[in-house]
C-alpha cells in the first residue's frame, strides 16, 4: 500500500512544527485531566457531605457524562477530523444501551 | 408455466373459502368463535387488521401479476429498457398510503390495549378485605396442572375452572415453578403466568355462546413449560350466575368427603397414607400455596378429564395411577409414591371416583 | 514498502497509527468493537440496576451498607491517572520516542495493577465482612458480574499492554506495531470510561441509597 | 504463491481450506457448513411435521420432541441461515466494492471457525446426553429447570458461535468503510453491499445483549448465581428482554441480506437499474434503525402493562412503511423492464407476494390486543415461516444459484432448478398457509401432540404433506449441485449476460487476488456503465504494481478448537463426579491462548505478488 505521508518537503521544519503541535495537544490533555479529577472530587464530596439524594443523583450523573465526553473527545481523540463514522457507531451503541437501561428501570418489575 | 402460476394464486383463496365453510373450528376451542366481550373485541380488531392486510396483499398481487406477465422478455429480444431512476410522486404515494392505513389500525389498537388492561375493579376492597363487586380468581400454574382459588369465596379447585356467565371475571395469574401462560381461546387472548410478579386481566363468558359450546370451554397452557406442555389442558365450566352461586355455596360448605363401600374406604386409607401430603380433598384448603403441591381433588369425581387430557373413566384413572409418567412425561407426581398393587389401585380408583361436591 | 521498515524522527509519519491500510483498518475495527462493548456494558448496567438491592431476606447486605467511599476514591484516582499516563505514552509515540513511550506504559500498567489489587481486596472484604457473595442474592450476582467484568477488562488490558511492551522492546517503533500500541491505549481509555459510570452509578449512587 | 494454478492433491486442498484467509474460500466453507446445517435443521423440521401429521402420534416422545423443536429453531437461525448469509457476503461483497480482500482476512477465518466449532458443539449434544429442550428462546425459568446438560450445550455453543458472528460483523463494517475502490462512493454501492453494511451494524449492537444474556444464564446454571432465581431476588423477565433485544434485530439480520440479493437479481434480470435506489438505501437503514425499538412485541402477553404494549405496538407497525417502500420499488424495477425468468429470478419474483403475506401477518401480530390471541399459536409459526422461508430461504436459494458461477465457475442446471423451485414454492404455501388457521382455531405452538376431535386434524395433515414437497425440492437441489460439480462446465465473467455490478467484471471464479488493478468506478452499477459505453472491461484506477497478500494460517482453527475443547470441560464441570473437567478446561484455554500468543508474537507481514507474476498468467488475469 502507498504510504500516505503527511509530511511536506522540508522534513526538519515539519518535525519542529509537529513536535510543537503535539506538545500543545499534550498540554490540553493535562488540563482536561485536571478537570476530570476536579469533577470526580465534586462527585465524591457531594456524596460524602450527604446532601439530599434528589440533588446528588442528577449532579453526579451529569458529572459522569461530562467526564466521559472529555475522555472520548480529548483522550481518545474523537474531536479530531475523520471521526464521523466512529462517532456514528459509538453513539448508536450508546443509544441502544440507554434504551436497554431505560427498559430495565421501568418494565422489568411491575 | 403461465397458467400454472395463475392456478397457484387461487389456492389461498380456495383455502379461505373452505375454512369459512367448515365453521372455523369448535365453539369450545376456536378463537374464531368468540364467546364473550373480551374475545369479541379482540376478534373485531383482528378482523379490522385482516381486512387492511387483505387489501394490501391484493394491491401487491395485482401489481405483481401485471409486471410478470406484461414485461417478460421475448426470446432473442436484446433491447435495453429505459433506465428509470425512480419517481418522487410514486414514492410519496406508497409512503403515505401505508401510513394512513397504519393510523387507522393504531387508534383502535391503543384504545383496546388500555381498555383490556383495566382491572381497577380488583382493587376495590370492602372492610373485610374482600373484593367489592368483582369475582376474582387466583390462577396458579404448576408443572402440568392448574389451581383456581376463589379468595373471596374461600374455595379452591384444580383443573376445572368454574365461572359465572355474563359478568367480568378477574384473574390474578402466577406460576409456581416455571413460566406458563393461561389461555381460554374462545373467551379471549392469553396472559402469561410469570414466576416473578402476578399478572391481572379479565375475561367474560357470554351465556348464549356458552350454550353453543355446551357450557364447556377448553383451556390451554400457551408457553412451553417442559415435556408435557402439550398436555397441560384445563376446562372452563360456565354456569349462570345463580348456578354459580349455588355451586360456590356447596363448595364452601363441603366437609371431609364421606365415601361408601368397603373398597372405597380401603382406598381412602391408602390415600391418607400416601397421597394426602400433596393432594387435598376438600375445596376449602387453608394451607399456604407452597404446601399445595398437587391438584385439589375435592371434585375429582365430577371432572371432565383425568389429568387434564384423558377421558374421565375408571380405566384411565387406573392407568394413570399405575404410571403417570406414560401419560404426562415429566410430571411431578411420578415417583412420589411406591409401586401400587392392582388391589390398591382399584381401591384408590373407587375412592377417587366418589369425590364429589355437587349433586350428591 | 516494508512493514518493519526503520524510521527516523523526520520520516516518522504524523499519524503513525493510521499510516498504513492495515493500521487504518485496525484503528477503525477497534473503534467498532468499542461500539459493541458499549452495548455489552450497558446490558450489564441495566441488569445491575434491575437487580440492585434485590435480596432474598431482610438481613442481607444492601448497597448502602457495604460500599466504602475512601476505597472507591483511591481506586478511581489510580485508574483516572493511568488514563493520563497512557496519553503521555501515545504522545511520545507520535514523537517517535520509543523509550519514553515504554516508560509511560510501565507507569500505566503499575497504576492499573494497583487498581486491580484494590478491587480484589474490596471483593474479599465484602465476602468476609457482609457475606455479600456472588451466590448470596440476585444483587450480589449482578454486582460481581458488572464490576467483575470491568475488572476482567482491566486484567486483560494489563496483559495486553505488557506483552506488547515485551514483544517490541528490542525493535523500537515501526508502522506495524504503532497501531497496536495505539489501539491498546484506546482500550485502556475505554476501561476508564466504563469505570466512570461504575463509580457513579454503582458506588456513589449506591451509597446515596 | 503461484501454486494457485497447480493441480493439488486432496490433502493439500484440505490443508489449503483449513488455513485459508481468502474471502472466496471462506465463503465456500460457510456455504458447505451452512448447507449441511440447513439439511439437518430441515430433517428436524420433517420430524416435527411427521409427529404432528396425525393426532396423538407417538413417532417421537414428548421430551424428544422438545429437543427436536429447540434444535430446529436454533440450528436454522444460528447455524444455517446466518452462515449462508455470511457465505453470500464473503463471496460477493469484496468483489462488489472492488477490494482485494476483506479488512481482516485473519479474523474472517477466525469468525468462520468459531461459528463452526460452536455449531459442532451444539449438535454434539445429541450424542452426549440430550439436546437443549427449552425452545430456541430458552426462557429463563424453563431453561433453569431443564435437567441434564442440553441447555448448557445451547449456552456454550451459541456463545462460541456468537463470538464468530460478532467478529464477522466488525470485519464487514471495516471492509466496507475502508476498502472501497476509487470512485465507489457510498451512494454507488450495490444494494447487497448496503444491506451487508447495515446488517453488520445490527450484528455489532444486537449480539452483545445475547452474549450478556447467555453469560447470566451460564452463571445461574453453572456457578450458582441468582439472576433468574426469583426466590433470591432474581427476575426472569430480564432474560426475555435481553433475548429479544437481540432477537428482533436478528430477524432483520437475516432478511436484509435477502433483500439485498433480490435487489441485485431483480435489477439484473429486468435489465433495468433498481427503481428508487436512494430510497431503497434509506429504507434499509431505517429498517435497521427501527429494528432496535420493537423487541417487546414478542412480549405483549408478558404483562408489561398497556403503556409499554401500546408504544411497542405502534413502533412495530412503523416498520411496514420502509418495507413497503422496498416492495413497491422492486415491482417498479420490473415495470417496463425486460424480464427474464431464470431460476434466481423465479425465486426473487415469488418472494414478493410470499414475503408480503408474511409481512402483513407480522403487522397483525403487532396489534397488541389481537396478539393476545395469536401469541404462541401456530399463527405466529405461520407468520415467521412466511417471512423466513418466503424471504430468507428464497433469498438464499436465489443467491446461491445466482452466484454459483461466480463462486465455482460453473452454472447450476436450470431445468432441475425449476423443478426445485416449483415444488418448494407449492410445498411452502401448502405447509404454512394452513397454519394461520390452525393457530386461530386454538392450536398452541410447541406442542408435541394434539388431541383428536379438536378440529385440528385436516390442517395438520395438509401441513405435513407440504413439508414433504419442500424436502423433495431440497433433494433435487442437492442432486443438481452434485451433477453440476461433476460436469464442471466452465463459464466466463458474466454468465448471466446481464451482470451490472463489479463482481461480473472479473473471471469466474476470480483469481485469488481478485483485481489485478483496482477498477475505477464511474457510477452506480459500475460494470453496466462500462458495458453501455461499449467497453468489456473496467478502467483501472491504478498502475499495475505489486499486490500485498496476507499469509494463510492454521491459528484461527486452533484458537477456535481450544474454546471447543474448553467448553466440554466447562459443561461437565458442574457434575460432581467428573474429575477430568478442570484439566480439560485448562488444556482448551491453553490451546486458545497459545494460538493467540503465537499470533501476536510472530510478525505476519504477508507477502507480495510481483508485477511480473501478474503479467505472466494471462488467462487467470483480471479484466480490471
Ligand atoms: C426474517 C424474519 C422475520 C421478519 C422479516 C419479520 C418481520 C416482521 N415481524 Fe416477525 N417474527 C419472526 C421473524 C420475522 N419477522 C420470528 C422468527 C418470530 C417468532 C419468534 C419466536 O417467538 O420464536 C416473529 C414474531 C413476530 C411477532 C411476535 C408474535 C408473537 O410471538 O406473539 C411480531 C409481533 O409484532 C412480529 C412482527 C413482525 C413485523 C411487524 C414485521 C415487519 O418487518 C414486516 C413488514 C413487512 C410488511 C408489512 C409487508 C410489506 C409492506 C407493504 C406491502 C406495505 C403496506 C403494508 C401495510 C400498510 C401493512 N413478528
Ligand atoms: C431459518 C429459519 C427456519 C427455517 C428455514 C425453517 C424451516 C421449516 N420449519 Fe421451522 N422454525 C424455526 C425456524 C425455521 N424453520 C424457528 C425459529 C422455530 C421456532 C422454534 C421454537 O419454537 O423454539 C420453528 C418452528 C417450526 C415449527 C413449530 C413447531 C412447534 O411449535 O411445535 C414447525 C412446524 O411445522 C416448523 C416447520 C418447518 C418446516 C416444515 C420447514 C421447512 O421449510 C424446511 C425445509 C427444508 C427441508 C425439508 C430440508 C429437507 C432435507 C432433507 C429431507 C434431507 C435430504 C437429505 C439429503 C439430500 C442428504 N418449524
Ligand atoms: Cu420481532
Amino acid at each position: 500500500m502507498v504510504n500516505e505521508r503527511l509530511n511536506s518537503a522540508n522534513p526538519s521544519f515539519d518535525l519542529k512544527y509537529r513536535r510543537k503541535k503535539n506538545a500543545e495537544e499534550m498540554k490540553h490533555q493535562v488540563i482536561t485531566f485536571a478537570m476530570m479529577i476536579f469533577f470526580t472530587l465534586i462527585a465524591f464530596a457531594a456524596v460524602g457531605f450527604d446532601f439530599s439524594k434528589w440533588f446528588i443523583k442528577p449532579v453526579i450523573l451529569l458529572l459522569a457524562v461530562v467526564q466521559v465526553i472529555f475522555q472520548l473527545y480529548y483522550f481518545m481523540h474523537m474531536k479530531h477530523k475523520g471521526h464521523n463514522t466512529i462517532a456514528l457507531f459509538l453513539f448508536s451503541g450508546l443509544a441502544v444501551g440507554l434504551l436497554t437501561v431505560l427498559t430495565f428501570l421501568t418494565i422489568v418489575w411491575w | 408455466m403461465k397458467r400454472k402460476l395463475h392456478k397457484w394464486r387461487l389456492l389461498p383463496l380456495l383455502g379461505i373459502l373452505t375454512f369459512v365453510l367448515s365453521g372455523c373450528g369448535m365453539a369450545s376451542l376456536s378463537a374464531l368463535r368468540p364467546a364473550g366481550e373480551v374475545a369479541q373485541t379482540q376478534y373485531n380488531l383482528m378482523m379490522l387488521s385482516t381486512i387492511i392486510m387483505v387489501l394490501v396483499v391484493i394491491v401487491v398481487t395485482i401489481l405483481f401479476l401485471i409486471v410478470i406477465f406484461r414485461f417478460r422478455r421475448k426470446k432473442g429480444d436484446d433491447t435495453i429498457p429505459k433506465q428509470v431512476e425512480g419517481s418522487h410522486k410514486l414514492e410519496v404515494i406508497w409512503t403515505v398510503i401505508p401510513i394512513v392505513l397504519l393510523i387507522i389500525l393504531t387508534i383502535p389498537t391503543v384504545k383496546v390495549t388500555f381498555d383490556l388492561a383495566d382491572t381497577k375493579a380488583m382493587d376495590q376492597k370492602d372492610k373485610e378485605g374482600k373484593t367489592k363487586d368483582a369475582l376474582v380468581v387466583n390462577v396458579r400454574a404448576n408443572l402440568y396442572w392448574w389451581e383456581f382459588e376463589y379468595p373471596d369465596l374461600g374455595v379452591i379447585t384444580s383443573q376445572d375452572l368454574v365461572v359465572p356467565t355474563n359478568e367480568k371475571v378477574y384473574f390474578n395469574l402466577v406460576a409456581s415453578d416455571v413460566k406458563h401462560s393461561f389461555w381460554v381461546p374462545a373467551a379471549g387472548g392469553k396472559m402469561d403466568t410469570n414466576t416473578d410478579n402476578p399478572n391481572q386481566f379479565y375475561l367474560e363468558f357470554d351465556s348464549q355462546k356458552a350454550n353453543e359450546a355446551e357450557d364447556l370451554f377448553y383451556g390451554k397452557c400457551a408457553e412451553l413449560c417442559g415435556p408435557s406442555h402439550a398436555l397441560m389442558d384445563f376446562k372452563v365450566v360456565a354456569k349462570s350466575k345463580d348456578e354459580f352461586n349455588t355451586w360456590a355455596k356447596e363448595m364452601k360448605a363441603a366437609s371431609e368427603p364421606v365415601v361408601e363401600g368397603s373398597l372405597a374406604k380401603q382406598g381412602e386409607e391408602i390415600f391418607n397414607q400416601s397421597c394426602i401430603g400433596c393432594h387435598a380433598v376438600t375445596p376449602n384448603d387453608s394451607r399456604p400455596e407452597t404446601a399445595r403441591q398437587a391438584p385439589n381433588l375435592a371434585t375429582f369425581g365430577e371432572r371432565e378429564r383425568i389429568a387434564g387430557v384423558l377421558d374421565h373413566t375408571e380405566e384411565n384413572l387406573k392407568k394413570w395411577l399405575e404410571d403417570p409418567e406414560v401419560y404426562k412425561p415429566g410430571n411431578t407426581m411420578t415417583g412420589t409414591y411406591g409401586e401400587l398393587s392392582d388391589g390398591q389401585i382399584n381401591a384408590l380408583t373407587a375412592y377417587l371416583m366418589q369425590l364429589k361436591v355437587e349433586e350428591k | 514498502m516494508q512493514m518493519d521498515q526503520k524510521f527516523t524522527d523526520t520520516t516518522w509519519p504524523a499519524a503513525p497509527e493510521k499510516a498504513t491500510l492495515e493500521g487504518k483498518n485496525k484503528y477503525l475495527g477497534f473503534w467498532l468493537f468499542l461500539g459493541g462493548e458499549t452495548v455489552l456494558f450497558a446490558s450489564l448496567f441495566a441488569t445491575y440496576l434491575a437487580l440492585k438491592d434485590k435480596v432474598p431476606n431482610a438481613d442481607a447486605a444492601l448497597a448502602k451498607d457495604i460500599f466504602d467511599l475512601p476505597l472507591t476514591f483511591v481506586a478511581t484516582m489510580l485508574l483516572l491517572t493511568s488514563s493520563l499516563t497512557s496519553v503521555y505514552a501515545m504522545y511520545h509515540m507520535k514523537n517517535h520516542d520509543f523509550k519514553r513511550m515504554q516508560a509511560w506504559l510501565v507507569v500505566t500498567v503499575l497504576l492499573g495493577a494497583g487498581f486491580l489489587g484494590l478491587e480484589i481486596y474490596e471483593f474479599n472484604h465484602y465476602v468476609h465482612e457482609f457475606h455479600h457473595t456472588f451466590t448470596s442474592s440476585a444483587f450480589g450476582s449482578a454486582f460481581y458480574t458488572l464490576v467483575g467484568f470491568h475488572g476482567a477488562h482491566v486484567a486483560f488490558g494489563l496483559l495486553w499492554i505488557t506483552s506488547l511492551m515485551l514483544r517490541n522492546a528490542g525493535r523500537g517503533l515501526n508502522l506495524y506495531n504503532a497501531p497496536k500500541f495505539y489501539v491498546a491505549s484506546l482500550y485502556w481509555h475505554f476501561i476508564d470510561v466504563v469505570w466512570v459510570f461504575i463509580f457513579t452509578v454503582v458506588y456513589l449512587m449506591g451509597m446515596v441509597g | 504463491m503461484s501454486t494457485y494454478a497447480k493441480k493439488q492433491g486432496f490433502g493439500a486442498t484440505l490443508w489449503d481450506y483449513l488455513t485459508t484467509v481468502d474471502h472466496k474460500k471462506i465463503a465456500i466453507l460457510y456455504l458447505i457448513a451452512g448447507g449441511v446445517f440447513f439439511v439437518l435443521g430441515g430433517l428436524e423440521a420433517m420430524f416435527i411435521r411427521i409427529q404432528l401429521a396425525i393426532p396423538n402420534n407417538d413417532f417421537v416422545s414428548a421430551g424428544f420432541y422438545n429437543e427436536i423443536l429447540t434444535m430446529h429453531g436454533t440450528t436454522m437461525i444460528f447455524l444455517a441461515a446466518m452462515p449462508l448469509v455470511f457465505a453470500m457476503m464473503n463471496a460477493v461483497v469484496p468483489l462488489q466494492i472492488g477490494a482485494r480482500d476483506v479488512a481482516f482476512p485473519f479474523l474472517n477465518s477466525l469468525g468462520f471457525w468459531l461459528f463452526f466449532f460452536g455449531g459442532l458443539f451444539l449438535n454434539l449434544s445429541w450424542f452426549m446426553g440430550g439436546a437443549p429442550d427449552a425452545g430456541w428462546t430458552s426462557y429463563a425459568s424453563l431453561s433453569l429447570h431443564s435437567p441434564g446438560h442440553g441447555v448448557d450445550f445451547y449456552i456454550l455453543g451459541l456463545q462460541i458461535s456468537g463470538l464468530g458472528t460478532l467478529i464477522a460483523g466488525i470485519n464487514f463494517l471495516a471492509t466496507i468503510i475502508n476498502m472501497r475502490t476509487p470512485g465507489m462512493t457510498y451512494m454507488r454501492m450495490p444494494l447487497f453491499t448496503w444491506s451487508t453494511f447495515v446488517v453488520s451494524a445490527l450484528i455489532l449492537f444486537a449480539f452483545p445483549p445475547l452474549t450478556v444474556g447467555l453469560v447470566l444464564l451460564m452463571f445461574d446454571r453453572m456457578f450458582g448465581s441468582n439472576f433468574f432465581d426469583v426466590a433470591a431476588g432474581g427476575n426472569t423477565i430480564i432474560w426475555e428482554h435481553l433475548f429479544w433485544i437481540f432477537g428482533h434485530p436478528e430477524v432483520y439480520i437475516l432478511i436484509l441480506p435477502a433483500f439485498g440479493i433480490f435487489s441485485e437479481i431483480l435489477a439484473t434480470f429486468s435489465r433495468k437499474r433498481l427503481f428508487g435506489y436512494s430510497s431503497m438505501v434509506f429504507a434499509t437503514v431505517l429498517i435497521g434503525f427501527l429494528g432496535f425499538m420493537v423487541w417487546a412485541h414478542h412480549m405483549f402477553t408478558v404483562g408489561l402493562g398497556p403503556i409499554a404494549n401500546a408504544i411497542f405496538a405502534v413502533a412495530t407497525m412503523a416498520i411496514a412503511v420502509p418495507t413497503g417502500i422496498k416492495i413497491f420499488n422492486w415491482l417498479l424495477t420490473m415495470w417496463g423492464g425486460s424480464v427474464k425468468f431464470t431460476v434466481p429470478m423465479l425465486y426473487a419474483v415469488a418472494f414478493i407476494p410470499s414475503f408480503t403475506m408474511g409481512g402483513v401477518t407480522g403487522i397483525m401480530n403487532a396489534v397488541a390486543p389481537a396478539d393476545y390471541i395469536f401469541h404462541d399459536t401456530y399463527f405466529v409459526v405461520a407468520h415467521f415461516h412466511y417471512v423466513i422461508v418466503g424471504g430468507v430461504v428464497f433469498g438464499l436459494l436465489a443467491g446461491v444459484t445466482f452466484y454459483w458461477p461466480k463462486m465455482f465457475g460453473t452454472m447450476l442446471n436450470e431445468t432441475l432448478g425449476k423443478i426445485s423451485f416449483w415444488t418448494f414454492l407449492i410445498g411452502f404455501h401448502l405447509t404454512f398457509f394452513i397454519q394461520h388457521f390452525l393457530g386461530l382455531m386454538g392450536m398452541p405452538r410447541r406442542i408435541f401432540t394434539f388431541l383428536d376431535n379438536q378440529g385440528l386434524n385436516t390442517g395438520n395433515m395438509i401441513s405435513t404433506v407440504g413439508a414433504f414437497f419442500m424436502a423433495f425440492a431440497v433433494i433435487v437441489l442437492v442432486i443438481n449441485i452434485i451433477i453440476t460439480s461433476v460436469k464442471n462446465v466452465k463459464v466466463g465473467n458474466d454468465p448471466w449476460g446481464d451482470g451490472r455490478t463489479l463482481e461480473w467484471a472479473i473471471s469466474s471464479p476470480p483469481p485469488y487476488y481478485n483485481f489485478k488493478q483496482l477498477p475505477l468506478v464511474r457510477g452506480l452499477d459500475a460494470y453496466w456503465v462500462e458495458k453501455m459505453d461499449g467497453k468489456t472491461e473496467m478502467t483501472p484506477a491504478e498502475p499495475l504494481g505489486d499486490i500485498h497478500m496476507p499469509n494463510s494460517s492454521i491459528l484461527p482453527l486452533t484458537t477456535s478448537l481450544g474454546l471447543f475443547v474448553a467448553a466440554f470441560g466447562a459443561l461437565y464441570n458442574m457434575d460432581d463426579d467428573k474429575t477430568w473437567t478442570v484439566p480439560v478446561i485448562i488444556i482448551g484455554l491453553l490451546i486458545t491462548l497459545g494460538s493467540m500468543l503465537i499470533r501476536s508474537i510472530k510478525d505476519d507481514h504477508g507477502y507480495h505478488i510481483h508485477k511480473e507474476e501478474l503479467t505472466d498468467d494471462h488467462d487467470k488475469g483480471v479484466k480490471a
Side-chain angles (χ1 to χ4, degrees), chain A residues 5-19:
Chain A
R5 198 72 46 80
L6 301 166
N7 312 8
S8 69
N10 181 347
S12 63
F13 169 79
D14 228 37
L15 185 67
K16 236 196 247 149
Y17 171 72
R18 272 169 47 201
R19 287 274 151 102

Side-chain angles (χ1 to χ4, degrees), chain B residues 52-53 56-57 60 94 97-99 101-102 105, chain D residues 77 136-137 139 243-244 247-248 250-256 259 287 294 297-301 312-313 316-325 327-328 355-367 371-372 374-377 380-381 383-385 387-389 391-392 445-446:
Chain B
I52 296 178
M53 297 316 149
V56 170
V57 171
V60 170
W94 63 55
I97 293 182
I99 291 180
L101 290 176
L102 290 177
L105 194 55
Chain D
I77 300 266
W136 84 287
T137 50
Y139 274 12
F243 185 85
W244 289 119
H248 188 82
E250 167 70 16
V251 307
Y252 294 122
I253 292 172
L254 297 179
I255 199 68
L256 287 179
F259 284 176
I287 292 174
V294 301
H297 65 216
H298 296 274
M299 301 168 66
F300 282 147
T301 66
F312 280 102
T316 304
M317 288 183 206
I319 298 189
V321 178
T323 318
I325 291 178
I327 295 274
F328 292 115
F355 178 82
T356 303
M357 285 165 74
V360 295
T361 53
I363 304 297
M364 291 173 71
N365 284 335
V367 179
D371 184 66
Y372 302 162
F374 306 140
H375 179 67
D376 267 340
T377 68
V380 173
V381 175
H383 154 66
F384 70 74
H385 283 91
V387 279
I388 287 187
V389 180
V392 183
R445 62 190 278 207
R446 295 171 163 177

